[in-house]
Amino acid sequence: MISLSKKGSCSSQLCLALCAFGLALLEDLSQALPVEDQDYYLQEIINRDHYYSYPGPDEEFSPFTEQPGQEETAPVAETEEPPRFRPGKKELKQKKGNKKEKSILEIPPAKNGNKKGEKNKKGNEKMPDGDYESRRAYEDVRESCPPLGLETLKITDFQLHASTVKRYGLGAHRGRLNIQAGVNENDFYDGAWCAGRNDPYQWIEVDARRLTKFTGIITQGRNSLWLSDWVTSYKVMVSNDSHAWITVKNGSGDMIFEGNSEKEIPVLNELPVPIVARYIRINPRSWYEEGSICMRLEILGCPLPDPNNYYHRRNEMTTTDDLDFKHHNYKEMRQLMKVVNEMCPNITRIYNIGKSHQGLKLYAVEISDNPGEHEVGEPEFRYIAGAHGNEVLGRELMLLLMQFMCQEYLAGNPRITHLIEDTRIHLLPSVNPDGYEMAYEVGSELGGWSLGRWTQDGIDINNNFPDLNTMLWEAEDRKRFQRKVPNHHIPIPEWYLSENATVAVETRAVIAWMEKNPFVLGGNLQGGELVVAYPYDMVRSTWKTQEHTPTPDDHVFRWLAYSYASTHRLMTDARRRVCHTEDFQKEDGTVNGASWHTVAGSINDFSYLHTNCFELSIYIGCDKYPHESDLPEEWENNRESLIVFMEQVHRGIKGMVRDLSGKGIPNAIISVEGVNHDIRTASDGDYWRLLNPGEYVVTAKAEGYTSSTKNCAVGYDMGATQCDFTISKTNLARIKEIMEKFGKQPISLSIRRRRQRARQRRQRR
């Protein structure tokens, strides 16, 4: 490993030579830079907060700052020869000049890969030449050094600097891996850092704020629907004080790294040997001929220990939970479920709801004090994750949650014990395992924004459900036909059930699962944002893409969304930076789905209109596929929210609808005055109706029974209010029941009258 450091002593001739070389280099650089760049560079130096750090226990490192009794010297590399890399698969050819004055560079081959560092374990990547120790050190670096956090926002906007910018919306703060541009690509939210000029003197720089062992760089081009901008090659420089910079070498010359060949697929370049410094700078050398200098990037590096830096100690997140913090492929996920089931066999059950397009089983874990059966009066809750296969954090949170609940139940945690004993909980970690395996193959940083999002046959599961909104709204607009379409349990249209319909097998499996179990509340975990979205997800007005479209239970959905967002460590933090383009702080980390972007056939709308279940989409992180090292912090961010949201299933009213003999009545309708959305009782006659605190007029009715109405009050304390109904059969229903009992069919009144009139006519004759 190279450490940028002063040597304790050197010959006077060597020091003079190095100083002279350094002055000449700085003079040449200052002459080469335009006047505007010189001013900007000097301004950056004046405004930069200098950092003084102490070496870690295993590192020898001295900042560039001059110390008493020593002369300023240029950093000298360690004498150990760095391992040599084999040439990459592609060698960049010499680029031709053009009207836009693109730089003409002869670029030596550089190591370039698109595999995640952790995939080394499989032994499918080329290893550097050299002795065993060098190869082992290389493996350790690749496996241990995570991203610094440009994509996850751990690196703040104030830590990103650039030589020039095209405009504010293309500033250095937008140069983050996988950042997405706004719809209009306006001045505030664009999809990359773009330099103000296209010349080889531009750079973007990251201040790690502490000594860091840099190991690699990942780059993308600009996220844009209309423009093609990306960097095809670049140099890498490092510094300890932002004054003196050292360029990464390839032998005796500056190393040129191969950049991107298009704008979305991330490209990883590893440094030939790790370098310790505070600042790292990317200097584009060539770019797409028809475009401009634009980049999104992530830096791989290990921050060195610094017990004297209070800022970093204060912001470090740790967890005391002893859980399996790693990414699990399909086989590992099944094995972990089995381990949890073996630890807690009395409260867990593993089952599958169907298969994926590739034949992988969709496994779920049930957590209940009586697993495998529905208990009368006990509500059922579900979490779904992984509908988009590349949004993997939800999958891992589900696996962590089932471990956590098992451990806490065994430890006698009263809160978890009460939740398990009073609730039947279902966790479905991976709805789209085929997509996940695609994303897992390339790893957390190299999958881009969409690889693995869809099913194997190219379907977005999250938007693949029947569009029942249109059926309901059309019926409401034609008031005379309104009775033909109810406001709940709307049937699935026949065309959707046909074999030729474009419906994923995973979607059909989820629908059958939803119809089989009387779910009351559910959340589907997604990624790429930090917000909780509640239905409706589809706008009601034609030709609009954004419009606030509330459900009749809008007040309940708002509370449910806020219960998760407010207990999350970051969602309602007004100081946090927006993930991409949307600022959800005005609604405390929540949003009506249709006012964000319209979606037809969403799982939330379908669940609300076809079943009793209130479903919300929970976006749990800016980074869809966070690095494994971020999982403990993400667990801490979401743990309390996951539990609090489950507890909301016990808010509102619950009860039984029985007949005079005490038998439960299935499919009885529960109506709440003033709320134009009903629910139905389950097969045993029990029901749960989510409501906010208040007094409600509730009616229970069923076909062939007289209706019954009650006043039911919901308090502020957790726990649903018991509100039972006993209803009796109507006279007509009793007659039908008696006639059927004796094997006779009831005679209709019209037939009886016709027969009576015929007898009267015969008598008159």
Side-chain angles (χ1 to χ4, degrees):
M1 180 176 63
I2 294 178
S3 178
L4 303 180
S5 61
K6 292 183 181 179
K7 298 299 179 181
S9 61
C10 65
S11 65
S12 59
Q13 292 181 353
L14 178 60
C15 291
L16 289 173
L18 290 172
C19 289
F21 174 76
L23 290 171
L25 183 63
L26 288 173
E27 182 177 354
D28 292 341
L29 182 61
S30 64
Q31 290 176 356
L33 289 173
V35 176
E36 298 89 341
D37 284 336
Q38 293 182 41
D39 293 341
Y40 186 91
Y41 180 71
L42 291 173
Q43 191 67 27
E44 284 288 294
I45 292 174
I46 293 170
N47 293 335
R48 193 71 51 81
D49 292 331
H50 290 276
Y51 176 85
Y52 301 92
S53 180
Y54 296 92
D58 300 326
E59 302 288 343
E60 293 183 1
F61 187 92
S62 301
F64 278 124
T65 52
E66 186 174 350
Q67 297 180 5
Q70 288 186 325
E71 295 181 8
E72 183 73 16
T73 59
V76 180
E78 293 178 0
T79 56
E80 181 180 347
E81 184 178 353
R84 291 177 290 109
F85 284 75
R86 297 172 185 170
K89 293 182 180 178
K90 296 181 181 179
E91 292 187 9
L92 291 179
K93 296 181 180 180
Q94 192 175 27
K95 298 190 180 293
K96 298 180 181 181
N98 55 38
K99 294 185 281 185
K100 298 184 180 180
E101 297 180 318
K102 300 290 182 291
S103 58
I104 304 177
L105 299 171
E106 193 155 327
I107 304 169
K111 172 75 177 177
N112 177 24
N114 63 350
K115 295 280 185 181
K116 181 182 178 181
E118 295 159 3
K119 305 296 283 184
N120 270 350
K121 300 175 183 177
K122 296 186 178 181
N124 60 354
E125 290 191 28
K126 296 182 179 180
M127 297 298 296
D129 296 331
D131 59 15
Y132 171 79
E133 292 184 0
S134 297
R135 294 161 68 89
R136 182 61 179 272
Y138 171 77
E139 290 179 1
D140 291 343
V141 166
R142 282 175 55 84
E143 291 178 4
S144 61
C145 282
L148 289 187
L150 276 75
E151 184 174 6
T152 60
L153 306 181
K154 287 184 179 178
I155 297 296
T156 68
D157 291 351
F158 301 104
Q159 293 174 258
L160 300 173
H161 307 273
S163 52
T164 60
V165 298
K166 186 168 291 187
R167 50 183 169 78
Y168 175 76
L170 294 166
H173 65 291
R174 301 296 295 176
R176 301 173 181 273
L177 193 71
N178 285 321
I179 203 166
Q180 301 295 294
V183 176
N184 301 318
E185 298 184 25
N186 55 34
D187 286 341
F188 297 102
Y189 300 113
D190 223 317
W193 160 69
C194 290
R197 295 186 296 276
N198 292 326
D199 60 48
Y201 306 112
Q202 306 305 311
W203 47 261
I204 182 171
E205 170 190 316
V206 180
D207 175 7
R209 285 185 174 168
R210 63 192 296 181
L211 296 183
T212 301
K213 181 166 60 177
F214 297 116
T215 61
I217 300 96
I218 303 172
T219 59
Q220 282 174 311
R222 177 180 178 179
N223 175 249
S224 173
L225 294 173
W226 323 109
L227 301 172
S228 298
D229 299 316
W230 61 82
V231 170
T232 56
S233 68
Y234 58 89
K235 291 182 180 180
V236 177
M237 296 177 282
V238 293
S239 173
N240 291 329
D241 59 3
S242 78
H243 290 247
W245 292 87
I246 299 298
T247 303
V248 174
K249 302 291 184 181
N250 184 15
S252 59
D254 295 347
M255 188 169 186
I256 306 293
F257 294 89
E258 183 178 350
N260 299 87
S261 57
E262 60 91 64
K263 56 189 175 184
E264 287 297 337
I265 299 177
V267 173
L268 165 67
N269 279 290
E270 294 149 343
L271 302 183
V273 282
I275 297 178
V276 174
R278 171 179 169 175
Y279 301 91
I280 186 167
R281 179 178 285 184
I282 311 302
N283 169 220
R285 307 302 295 173
S286 61
W287 45 94
Y288 178 57
E289 293 182 356
E290 303 301 324
S292 303
I293 296 178
C294 294
M295 296 184 76
R296 292 176 287 168
L297 69 152
E298 182 63 85
I299 305 297
L300 305 182
C302 298
L304 299 184
D306 183 11
N308 299 294
N309 193 314
Y310 170 73
Y311 174 82
H312 291 287
R313 283 189 284 113
R314 182 188 63 182
N315 288 277
E316 286 175 352
M317 171 56 62
T318 58
T319 182
T320 58
D321 295 327
D322 184 18
L323 307 174
D324 189 20
F325 294 105
K326 60 167 288 185
H327 288 295
H328 299 79
N329 61 21
Y330 182 74
K331 181 178 179 181
E332 293 166 338
M333 179 187 73
R334 288 189 307 170
Q335 182 61 31
L336 181 59
M337 289 179 172
K338 183 178 178 182
V339 170
V340 173
N341 179 243
E342 290 173 350
M343 286 179 59
C344 298
N346 295 329
I347 62 166
T348 61
R349 178 177 70 101
I350 303 172
Y351 66 100
N352 76 82
I353 69 168
K355 292 184 179 181
S356 71
H357 185 271
Q358 293 288 88
L360 300 179
K361 292 182 179 179
L362 307 181
Y363 285 106
V365 169
E366 177 192 340
I367 304 177
S368 170
D369 58 343
N370 286 293
E373 62 179 272
H374 169 70
E375 296 182 67
V376 176
E378 187 172 287
E380 304 208 15
F381 176 93
R382 70 168 181 254
Y383 269 131
I384 297 174
H388 297 151
N390 64 329
E391 296 170 9
V392 306
L393 180 55
R395 172 191 179 111
E396 297 307 325
L397 288 180
M398 290 298 94
L399 298 179
L400 292 169
L401 181 62
M402 64 181 69
Q403 296 174 65
F404 176 79
M405 296 191 73
C406 173
Q407 291 180 5
E408 294 300 302
Y409 182 83
L410 295 177
N413 183 326
R415 182 185 185 192
I416 299 301
T417 301
H418 178 73
L419 186 59
I420 292 174
E421 290 179 348
D422 293 347
T423 319
R424 191 181 184 202
I425 301 166
H426 303 256
L427 307 179
L428 182 61
S430 186
V431 183
N432 181 9
D434 298 346
Y436 174 83
E437 292 300 307
M438 293 175 61
Y440 181 83
E441 185 64 26
V442 297
S444 62
E445 279 68 61
L446 300 179
W449 190 250
S450 59
L451 180 65
R453 174 185 176 91
W454 300 281
T455 62
Q456 191 68 27
D457 48 349
I459 297 175
D460 185 340
I461 296 176
N462 197 53
N463 309 330
N464 191 222
F465 292 82
D467 172 18
L468 305 182
N469 304 59
T470 301
M471 295 174 59
L472 173 65
W473 294 335
E474 286 181 352
E476 290 181 348
D477 291 340
R478 300 192 305 270
K479 293 184 178 180
R480 56 181 176 173
F481 299 112
Q482 185 174 349
R483 292 182 180 178
K484 292 186 177 181
V485 179
N487 61 15
H488 70 291
H489 282 243
I490 300 175
I492 298 174
E494 292 185 6
W495 67 264
Y496 186 90
L497 300 174
S498 67
E499 294 183 0
N500 296 329
T502 307
V503 183
V505 292
E506 296 89 345
T507 308
R508 294 191 189 276
V510 171
I511 291 176
W513 183 52
M514 295 165 69
E515 291 179 331
K516 181 180 179 181
N517 297 281
F519 294 117
V520 179
L521 177 62
N524 57 87
L525 304 185
Q526 302 189 45
E529 269 296 351
L530 262 177
V531 68
V532 182
Y534 54 89
Y536 289 122
D537 290 329
M538 180 180 176
V539 298
R540 183 159 186 165
S541 300
T542 310
W543 308 116
K544 284 192 176 182
T545 58
Q546 291 178 310
E547 180 186 43
H548 183 74
T549 310
T551 66
D553 285 287
D554 188 59
H555 58 297
V556 178
F557 275 114
R558 284 176 178 270
W559 168 254
L560 294 171
Y562 184 71
S563 70
Y564 194 100
S566 61
T567 49
H568 190 279
R569 289 186 61 253
L570 298 176
M571 279 191 190
T572 54
D573 186 353
R575 299 168 298 175
R576 76 170 181 88
R577 183 195 188 280
V578 299
C579 290
H580 301 281
T581 64
E582 303 284 348
D583 185 0
F584 300 107
Q585 291 306 312
K586 59 185 178 181
E587 292 189 44
D588 294 316
T590 68
V591 67
N592 172 254
S595 67
W596 184 11
H597 54 264
T598 185
V599 170
S602 77
I603 185 174
N604 294 341
D605 291 2
F606 172 80
S607 180
Y608 181 69
L609 295 175
H610 184 67
T611 74
N612 289 339
C613 186
F614 287 33
E615 180 104 2
L616 295 85
S617 294
I618 305 170
Y619 294 80
I620 49 180
C622 304
D623 187 353
K624 290 185 174 184
Y625 197 148
H627 190 269
E628 199 165 271
S629 62
D630 292 323
L631 293 180
E633 181 173 351
E634 293 294 352
W635 168 246
E636 288 295 322
N637 289 343
N638 289 276
R639 179 183 57 191
E640 180 65 15
S641 302
L642 291 168
I643 297 171
V644 167
F645 189 71
M646 284 192 289
E647 291 173 334
Q648 304 312 306
V649 76
H650 296 282
R651 183 174 296 279
I653 60 174
K654 66 178 182 179
M656 291 285 300
V657 179
R658 301 181 178 92
D659 60 19
L660 294 176
S661 63
K663 183 180 178 181
I665 302 174
N667 289 319
I669 298 173
I670 305 297
S671 302
V672 178
E673 188 177 279
V675 182
N676 188 30
H677 180 78
D678 304 331
I679 64 164
R680 297 196 180 193
T681 57
S683 58
D684 296 310
D686 48 351
Y687 77 91
W688 306 264
R689 184 41 163 110
L690 296 178
L691 292 168
N692 284 348
E695 294 186 2
Y696 300 92
V697 178
V698 184
T699 300
K701 56 186 176 182
E703 185 177 355
Y705 291 84
T706 59
S707 62
S708 176
T709 300
K710 281 187 177 182
N711 292 326
C712 301
V714 178
Y716 287 90
D717 295 334
M718 187 58 67
T721 300
Q722 192 77 24
C723 197
D724 298 325
F725 294 89
T726 300
I727 54 179
S728 58
K729 291 184 179 180
T730 62
N731 291 333
L732 180 59
R734 286 199 191 98
I735 293 172
K736 288 183 178 180
E737 184 179 358
I738 294 171
M739 297 295 290
E740 290 173 359
K741 183 177 181 180
F742 290 99
K744 297 180 179 180
Q745 294 296 323
I747 301 174
S748 66
L749 186 63
S750 59
I751 295 176
R752 187 180 301 169
R753 286 177 177 174
R754 284 200 297 270
R755 289 179 179 177
Q756 185 178 5
R757 289 171 183 170
R759 284 197 301 269
Q760 291 175 350
R761 282 197 291 271
R762 286 196 297 269
Q763 291 175 357
R764 290 172 185 170
R765 292 175 187 171

